Amino acid sequence: MPGYELINNKEYLECRDVLKKSKTFFRMGFEKNRKGIFKVLEFEKKFCNYFAAKNCLAVTSGTAALRVGIASLNLKPGDEIITQAFTFVATVEAIVETKCKPVCANIDETLNLDPKDLEKKINKKTKAVIVVHMLGVPGKLDLIKKICNKYKLFLIEDTAWGCGGKFRNKFLGTIGDIGTFSFDHAKAITTGEGGMVVFKDRNNFLRGKAWHDHGHENNPNFPRWEDTRKLSGFNFRMNELQGAIGIAQLKKLNFIIKSQRKNYYLIWKHIKSLKGIAQRPYSKQSYISADALVVLVKNKKLAINCRKKLLKFGVSTKILPEAYSWHFAGLWSHITEFNKKNFRKSLKKSEELLRRAVSIPILVNMNKKQILNIKKALSSALISTK
Ligand SMILES: Cc1ncc(COP(=O)(O)O)c(C=O)c1O
């Protein structure tokens, strides 16, 4: 979660262009005032360039990115979208907002979507799959893509936690039909709040772009107030200050991922000899973004004790175990689509895995003492939990 760790003069200078020169916060128009400065557009272009993608659309959040991405697919109310039991509630909220039906499949030992359970959940109403690269580890994209191709389903990659990670040398978020990113405060790069949608298909991009802007087609033959439209939409436009910060943050992404990976492997080297912890597995084709190092312990009691000890040693945890209820779909009875008797039971395998997971946050700036404290905390938890 390091984007915020690196905020410095670079972000300030980008924002100064907006505040002192263009004095325009709106992402388009006002050409007479803005002195050629279009920060959101520039951020989108640079994002496309970095990720080797063709169609990038900046939006107001990662949740909005999912909503816009789904809107671009022309699905009908009642169509089903399958996602995974371990994600943030936003993934499911975005599906519900589109009037599609959310369906949750179990995760496997990688803590990402289990391709076998995914295939079991597919029926005639299924139209799309959202794989979530949770906490920096890519989902099993080979198998999941194959399944999506077999059943002609759209594949959306929720890359909120995988920005800068790769699978088979391709950036996460650029492999499926649509990739969505979050730039909230906790993510690899941040614009405060913000997100990006990456579209493979040009027509989906144009539909999503119009939808995120009340249906505006930005028809060059008309002024904005007489603009043409075919579909209704909403407002999820990113503003120029967010775009400015995004430009500065994107330049730091290489360094962020390199540092996170370095710290991830250093921590693992220190703790791997501890008896009673196992590393969350991931496939050899993965280039993890290393947002967190997740370890599995024998039971829930030990997982909670690990958190207590980590806190005592000034380290803390990230999502697991403390924010479990916001990230395990089996507990979301407040979402009426899920409010069924056997829903939680059907996700028992996921619950069993998640209850004994401990997620250690990775920062860009970590010193030897912090790393040794992680080892001390975990060994103390392992010794003191019966
Ligand atoms: C997996 C996942 N998807 C989507 C989001 C939503 O992102 P945002 O906070 O930018 O709306 C989050 C946020 O943490 C997330 O973890």
Side-chain angles (χ1 to χ4, degrees):
M1 43 206 244
Y4 74 83
E5 286 179 87
L6 303 176
I7 291 169
N8 60 19
N9 204 39
K10 298 279 195 285
E11 281 78 3
Y12 166 73
L13 291 175
E14 291 290 344
C15 289
R16 198 181 64 174
D17 282 349
V18 177
L19 293 166
K20 289 220 155 174
K21 292 185 192 159
S22 81
K23 300 189 178 176
T24 305
F25 298 124
F26 202 54
R27 65 161 294 166
M28 62 196 108
F30 302 97
E31 276 81 0
K32 278 190 193 143
N33 304 339
R34 64 192 311 150
K35 304 191 174 60
I37 293 169
F38 290 87
K39 293 291 183 187
V40 177
L41 196 64
E42 187 182 337
F43 181 35
E44 287 169 344
K45 281 186 180 157
K46 291 192 160 140
F47 204 87
C48 277
N49 207 18
Y50 185 96
F51 284 85
K54 285 207 179 92
N55 309 294
C56 294
L57 178 72
V59 292
T60 47
S61 70
T63 313
L66 285 158
R67 180 64 185 90
V68 172
I70 300 170
S72 77
L73 297 177
N74 254 345
L75 303 183
K76 292 189 205 69
D79 283 347
E80 295 187 6
I81 302 180
I82 304 176
T83 189
Q84 61 198 53
F86 178 41
T87 182
F88 180 52
V89 74
T91 317
V92 168
E93 285 169 336
I95 300 171
V96 170
E97 277 292 308
T98 63
K99 299 196 173 69
C100 287
K101 187 180 164 208
V103 175
C104 271
N106 271 298
I107 52 168
D108 62 16
E109 71 291 347
T110 66
L111 307 189
N112 282 331
L113 184 58
D114 176 356
K116 283 191 196 129
D117 201 42
L118 164 65
E119 194 158 11
K120 279 189 205 153
K121 298 255 168 7
I122 294 171
N123 65 47
K124 277 188 188 149
K125 288 189 173 169
T126 311
K127 292 291 175 307
V129 173
I130 306 182
V131 56
V132 188
H133 308 299
M134 271 309 271
L135 294 171
V137 167
K140 290 181 171 166
L141 284 169
D142 273 358
L143 295 170
I144 293 166
K145 246 195 127 175
K146 233 186 210 169
I147 295 170
C148 287
N149 290 343
K150 180 172 163 190
Y151 295 94
K152 298 193 170 39
L153 308 175
F154 292 111
L155 177 59
I156 301 173
E157 293 175 77
D158 181 340
T159 318
W161 284 115
C163 183
K166 293 179 189 168
F167 186 80
R168 287 197 189 284
N169 254 346
K170 272 194 167 169
F171 278 111
L172 301 180
T174 67
I175 296 163
D177 298 287
I178 284 171
T180 64
F181 294 79
S182 161
F183 309 133
D184 74 24
H185 189 65
K187 300 304 188 294
I189 58 171
T190 183
T191 57
E193 298 281 1
M196 190 72 77
V197 197
V198 174
F199 302 83
K200 203 155 257 173
D201 180 84
R202 184 83 189 156
N203 288 329
N204 289 346
F205 167 65
L206 292 175
R207 253 195 313 274
K209 193 172 176 207
W211 196 90
H212 106 295
D213 184 19
H214 305 292
H216 270 282
E217 292 184 317
N218 285 293
N219 189 324
N221 302 317
F222 297 97
R224 187 166 165 85
W225 55 91
E226 288 175 6
D227 196 7
T228 51
R229 75 213 73 133
K230 288 190 197 79
L231 299 168
S232 82
F234 217 72
N235 173 8
F236 284 124
R237 292 182 306 259
M238 182 179 265
N239 77 49
E240 287 288 279
L241 284 169
Q242 292 169 299
I245 295 170
I247 293 166
Q249 286 269 300
L250 187 60
K251 286 185 186 148
K252 299 172 183 178
L253 184 56
N254 266 348
F255 174 73
I256 289 168
I257 300 302
K258 253 173 94 175
S259 312
Q260 286 188 165
R261 286 173 57 86
K262 190 184 97 205
N263 289 334
Y264 179 104
Y265 290 115
L266 201 59
I267 295 168
W268 180 241
K269 198 175 123 191
H270 277 85
I271 64 173
K272 71 179 179 191
S273 59
L274 297 175
K275 275 211 177 91
I277 63 163
Q279 190 187 17
R280 171 194 188 185
Y282 54 86
S283 82
K284 285 207 175 74
Q285 289 85 23
S286 301
Y287 180 85
I288 58 170
S289 60
D291 294 287
L293 166 54
V294 183
V295 295
L296 292 157
V297 296
K298 93 179 159 192
N299 57 28
K300 172 177 156 187
K301 192 174 165 200
L302 179 52
I304 289 169
N305 204 16
C306 284
R307 171 167 161 82
K308 272 191 202 144
K309 298 287 183 191
L310 284 163
L311 280 174
K312 206 171 143 198
F313 279 89
V315 184
S316 186
T317 49
K318 178 162 155 179
I319 293 184
L320 297 170
E322 78 284 3
Y324 169 72
S325 75
W326 282 98
H327 295 83
F328 171 53
L331 296 177
W332 300 339
S333 51
H334 66 292
I335 296 178
T336 51
E337 286 78 357
F338 284 162
N339 204 354
K340 288 194 203 108
K341 226 178 171 186
N342 287 326
F343 180 60
R344 184 172 177 183
K345 242 190 190 166
S346 73
L347 301 176
K348 205 172 148 202
K349 183 184 165 195
S350 308
E351 183 156 18
E352 192 274 324
L353 281 162
L354 292 172
R355 289 266 70 167
R356 54 190 189 87
V358 181
S359 168
I360 300 157
I362 306 286
L363 300 171
V364 164
N365 301 309
M366 290 186 98
N367 57 40
K368 189 115 195 244
K369 189 172 171 218
Q370 283 169 306
I371 291 172
L372 288 175
N373 277 345
I374 292 171
K375 183 174 183 179
K376 281 184 197 160
L378 292 177
S379 31
S380 159
L382 285 160
I383 291 166
S384 63
T385 313
K386 296 265 155 49

